[in-house]
Amino acid sequence: MHVKLNKPVYEDMNLLKFPKEFGSEDGCWDWLFRTRWPEGFYCPRCGHSEYTLLEERRLCLCGACRYQASVTAGNIFHKTKTPLLKWFWLIYRMATSKTGVSIAEMQQQLKIKDYKTIWAMAHKIRKGMADRDSHYRLAGLVEVDESFFGPSSSGKPGRGAERKSVVIVAVSTWLNSSGKEEPGFAHAFVAQDSSADTIEAILNRLTVPVNEVKPLITALRSDGWRSYQKVTKKLGVVHYRAILSDPKDSMRLLPWTHRLIANAKAVISGPHRGVAHKHLQRYLSEVCYRFNRRFWPEESFHRLLNACATTSTVTHKELMAPNGAADQSQ
Ligand SMILES: [Zn+2]
């Protein structure tokens, strides 16, 4: 196996292969080493290529400047005290489980003493997911809808509901060779509200490529909520307005956003049993991440492992801050 940092090779993985490749701490460390230094070690401080491995702490001691380089520096595993083997198992489960992973169950399986430790690990992995998806833009006909997440006893349902979190979901679509519509890439964001300004800002962020000004969206499909009418006018795109006379119509007329919303609600009310508003964005990112890679289930572990090895982490302190280190940059 050889995985390059910039041109990753996503290999298939399954329960039979996993212990062969990542059956020990050494196997996990070797993978991170090869990912960080695909052409062989070079010192991050002076560029020297010879090193001695300090076995106990698994640090590479530079032969020239004596800098101690770590395979986990600056990535999701930064300064972790938890064995990589446990991390890799958690990543495997989070990448491959369609319905979400029970963190309490994984705590038991992986023999992690403190629930807070694995809880933070899972959030760090979710950050890896969000960071990777933040590069993807939506194009063509984009289906958009909003939903409300939160306690069911919070008063009136729908728009205007108090104490619930507003979530804007957007899914790009494409036509397959038979002319049948398929869902493309999806994003879901916790938003301040469902006003036209908020939706416009989200759509601009999601549909305009970096360093460009022209959005890739050509048409918007939504319900008749006035915000969408304003947004489509401002963006100058066609508005396909779904008339929802019965709540059941939404599954038929706005199929992709509703599939994603149903999926997110099942994951959040199932294995996670409800989540705090300040952490909701990361759970949504997790659901979108898996949805966006549904065509590559076998590669999903390597894809997520690569995402975690190539992005920065979030600390426990940041997660516990009042805004929960909410990362809105998906
Ligand atoms: Zn050096």
Side-chain angles (χ1 to χ4, degrees):
M1 188 187 72
H2 186 71
V3 178
K4 286 196 172 190
L5 192 64
N6 295 322
K7 287 183 182 174
V9 175
Y10 299 122
E11 296 191 5
D12 287 358
M13 182 54 70
N14 54 49
L15 273 175
L16 297 176
K17 269 177 88 178
F18 189 91
K20 286 185 196 156
E21 222 171 298
F22 299 112
S24 69
E25 196 64 6
D26 280 344
C28 302
W29 189 90
D30 285 347
W31 187 91
L32 282 176
F33 184 95
R34 286 195 301 273
T35 303
R36 175 155 297 217
W37 296 298
E39 313 297 340
F41 176 82
Y42 66 88
C43 172
R45 185 190 276 169
C46 74
H48 190 70
S49 61
E50 281 171 26
Y51 72 99
T52 311
L53 182 65
L54 302 174
E55 295 276 354
E56 206 177 314
R57 291 171 58 213
R58 291 181 188 271
L59 295 170
C60 301
L61 178 70
C62 172
C65 76
R66 315 295 287 168
Y67 181 76
Q68 297 181 358
S70 165
V71 295
T72 57
N75 59 26
I76 288 295
F77 315 100
H78 191 71
K79 289 193 173 165
T80 185
K81 292 189 181 78
T82 305
L84 293 172
L85 189 58
K86 298 187 182 190
W87 272 102
F88 278 39
W89 264 115
L90 184 59
I91 290 170
Y92 179 81
R93 292 283 289 118
M94 287 178 70
T96 55
S97 169
K98 283 182 187 159
T99 49
V101 174
S102 159
I103 297 305
E105 192 189 313
M106 287 306 287
Q107 180 196 4
Q108 213 175 27
Q109 293 279 337
L110 296 174
K111 301 274 173 228
I112 292 176
K113 231 181 184 175
D114 192 347
Y115 180 81
K116 273 187 289 182
T117 304
I118 190 162
W119 176 86
M121 285 163 71
H123 274 303
K124 288 169 190 224
I125 294 167
R126 289 184 192 107
K127 180 179 183 289
M129 294 170 160
D131 288 354
R132 185 50 59 103
D133 271 3
S134 68
H135 299 292
Y136 294 96
R137 295 291 177 270
L138 306 180
L141 168 61
V142 177
E143 184 180 302
V144 185
D145 203 4
E146 75 289 321
S147 186
F148 300 85
F149 284 64
S152 51
S153 56
S154 64
K156 56 180 178 175
R159 293 180 181 105
E162 286 170 12
R163 289 182 53 217
K164 290 206 176 208
S165 307
V166 182
V167 172
I168 308 289
V169 180
V171 184
S172 61
T173 63
W174 57 283
L175 296 179
N176 66 20
S177 54
S178 322
K180 195 171 161 246
E181 185 180 289
E182 301 268 5
F185 219 77
H187 284 285
F189 277 106
V190 177
Q192 299 273 354
D193 50 48
S194 54
S195 69
D197 286 348
T198 301
I199 293 168
E200 188 192 352
I202 288 176
L203 282 178
N204 270 326
R205 194 166 66 216
L206 293 181
T207 64
V208 180
V210 178
N211 299 329
E212 289 186 35
V213 286
K214 206 172 174 308
L216 300 170
I217 182 173
T218 53
L220 187 137
R221 180 165 65 213
S222 74
D223 61 20
W225 175 237
R226 59 178 181 270
S227 293
Y228 296 119
Q229 299 181 35
K230 278 190 196 167
V231 170
T232 44
K233 258 188 200 162
K234 274 185 108 173
L235 293 174
V237 298
V238 179
H239 186 197
Y240 294 108
R241 191 178 149 199
I243 309 294
L244 309 175
S245 47
D246 186 299
K248 284 178 196 152
D249 288 345
S250 56
M251 265 309 201
R252 187 169 54 83
L253 299 172
L254 299 170
W256 314 124
T257 47
H258 279 259
R259 186 167 138 192
L260 199 74
I261 290 166
N263 193 347
K265 289 198 168 168
V267 167
I268 287 164
S269 64
H272 300 306
R273 294 185 190 163
V275 301
H277 171 82
K278 67 176 182 178
H279 299 303
L280 178 59
Q281 181 59 58
R282 268 186 294 274
Y283 288 93
L284 295 171
S285 300
E286 177 186 349
V287 170
C288 286
Y289 182 89
R290 277 196 296 265
F291 180 87
N292 290 334
R293 284 154 192 81
R294 64 199 177 278
F295 298 123
W296 310 288
E298 303 257 286
E299 292 179 4
S300 58
F301 167 71
H302 264 125
R303 284 174 180 271
L304 182 53
L305 189 55
N306 209 275
C308 290
T310 54
T311 198
S312 62
T313 196
V314 54
T315 65
H316 193 267
K317 200 178 158 192
E318 286 165 343
L319 287 169
M320 296 314 288
N323 75 348
D327 182 6
Q328 303 296 320
S329 65
Q330 189 199 14

